[in-house]
Amino acid sequence: VQLQASGGGSVQTGDSLRLSCQSSGRTLSLFAMGWFRQAPGKGREFVAAMSRGGGRSLYADSVKGRFTISRDNAKNTVYLQMNTLKPEDTAVYYCAADRVINTAELSPGVSEYDFWGQGTLVTVSS
């Protein structure tokens, strides 16, 4: 699975961005999908995840109510809608795929994910 993340950019506080992650190769319907981010000088942290079928989602407390993960399995694409952006959201954002059997399974753990995209930079200025 090759994942290509896009949609990052430089915005102002309060703006919105939508990140996309498209897969080439195997269908994303086999995978739970996650978004992670890594700010300068910090470790990679969980942002959001969605189960294979899209019926379950999970968010980090820091983005709950502002970010929304969604997926279109027919297009092999996962999205992260980010609203009301804050300077602390500045980071490189990565999408990742977790090969799971259970369609409801999802995880916030970095080590659970099998495939990673290259990252897209989001910069939020005050």
Side-chain angles (χ1 to χ4, degrees):
V1 175
Q2 290 188 324
L3 302 174
Q4 180 74 35
S6 61
S10 296
V11 297
Q12 302 284 325
T13 297
D15 285 349
S16 298
L17 278 175
R18 189 176 80 156
L19 305 183
S20 298
C21 174
Q22 188 161 31
S23 166
S24 60
R26 301 183 71 181
T27 174
L28 284 186
S29 64
L30 298 175
F31 300 88
M33 296 299 297
W35 284 97
F36 295 79
R37 66 187 181 187
Q38 188 164 12
K42 296 187 177 181
R44 194 164 297 190
E45 67 172 3
F46 170 74
V47 175
M50 178 164 273
S51 58
R52 279 176 57 182
R56 293 185 63 214
S57 58
L58 183 67
Y59 295 93
D61 288 343
S62 59
V63 306
K64 202 172 294 183
R66 299 188 299 122
F67 291 11
T68 303
I69 187 172
S70 61
R71 64 191 299 162
D72 185 338
N73 285 342
K75 295 182 178 180
N76 270 348
T77 303
V78 178
Y79 305 97
L80 185 68
Q81 178 66 44
M82 305 186 296
N83 298 330
T84 319
L85 282 161
K86 305 175 181 180
E88 51 263 44
D89 294 319
T90 294
V92 177
Y93 283 72
Y94 299 89
C95 61
D98 179 13
R99 181 66 170 95
V100 295
I101 302 300
N102 188 328
T103 57
E105 183 178 349
L106 74 169
S107 170
V110 172
S111 62
E112 295 293 321
Y113 288 78
D114 305 296
F115 302 97
W116 292 81
Q118 86 291 356
T120 185
L121 177 63
V122 173
T123 304
V124 185
S125 56
S126 56

